[in-house]
Amino acid sequence: MQRILDGRTLNHTGPVRVDFPFTGLVTCGHCGCSMVAELKKGKYIYCHCTGRRGKCPEPYTRQEALIDEFASVLGELVIPDEVLHSFAQAVNDTDQTEAKARATAIKTKKAEIDRLVHKLNTLYDDRLDGRITGTHYDQKAAQIESQQAELRRNIAELESCTLPPLTTAVELARLTSQACTAFRQQTGEEQRKLITLVMKEASWQEKN
């Protein structure tokens, strides 16, 4: 007896979950309807179009055929170890360069703040000695304090808005590569998670 799989099939012992990873992920390339799975002889899983828009010419296809096609596409995402190593080295160099540039910028701005502090102190001495008027001092002091505040904001941004290390991208590439390599050996749930992560959509037509 054949049953359309909605993720479960029944027998005398009660519900038994069927591991079909592609439900809702693949559409028919002929008519755009969903591809569903059907259990035959109690153990073989075949995929076919729902035919909701009329009789569809797409033939039944073994689930293994879909797995083979997905594995082929995912194989393009597998990155050779030597390439990953070069990528990691380049990322490490970039991280170090960016960190040095940020540290240099912070050091330069702090030095500018120190210079402005000295300038403000000198300006205050000039006021006390009568070399400048109180009005002139207030104007110049306000300008200097505004410059200091802007520099402190810049430093705070540099210190708090640090980009995440690019090593995260390297690790993601490595994990994705490993997952794609092991796709055929993964459980249905793992296969589904990987497919939804790296593919926007998929359609099946004429065994492809």
Side-chain angles (χ1 to χ4, degrees), residues 119-168:
K119 185 175 181 181
L120 186 61
N121 290 335
T122 300
L123 191 67
Y124 183 71
D125 290 338
D126 289 343
R127 178 190 176 188
L128 291 179
D129 294 340
R131 286 189 289 271
I132 60 174
T133 64
T135 300
H136 182 69
Y137 169 81
D138 290 341
Q139 292 175 343
K140 290 295 185 181
Q143 293 176 0
I144 293 173
E145 289 169 353
S146 177
Q147 292 173 350
Q148 288 176 324
E150 179 64 22
L151 287 167
R152 291 191 180 96
R153 282 194 294 271
N154 293 157
I155 291 172
E157 290 174 358
L158 287 169
E159 291 177 339
S160 64
C161 296
T162 303
L163 293 175
L166 290 179
T167 50
T168 302

Side-chain angles (χ1 to χ4, degrees), residues 187-198:
T187 65
E189 182 180 356
E190 291 171 335
Q191 289 176 337
R192 183 180 182 85
K193 286 181 179 180
L194 179 58
I195 290 170
T196 55
L197 175 65
V198 301

Side-chain angles (χ1 to χ4, degrees), residues 1-6 8-11 18 36-49 59-62:
M1 180 177 180
Q2 299 177 350
R3 291 192 177 101
I4 299 298
L5 304 183
D6 61 357
R8 294 175 182 267
T9 185
L10 301 179
N11 58 29
V18 175
V36 294
E38 185 172 329
L39 188 65
K40 291 190 174 185
K41 298 181 180 180
K43 59 180 179 178
Y44 300 113
I45 299 178
Y46 280 80
C47 308
H48 66 90
C49 174
Y60 278 57
T61 304
R62 285 283 298 272

Side-chain angles (χ1 to χ4, degrees), residues 175-195:
L175 292 175
T176 301
S177 182
Q178 292 173 349
C180 292
T181 300
F183 178 75
R184 295 178 188 275
Q185 288 73 46
Q186 293 172 344
T187 65
E189 182 180 356
E190 291 171 335
Q191 289 176 337
R192 183 180 182 85
K193 286 181 179 180
L194 179 58
I195 290 170

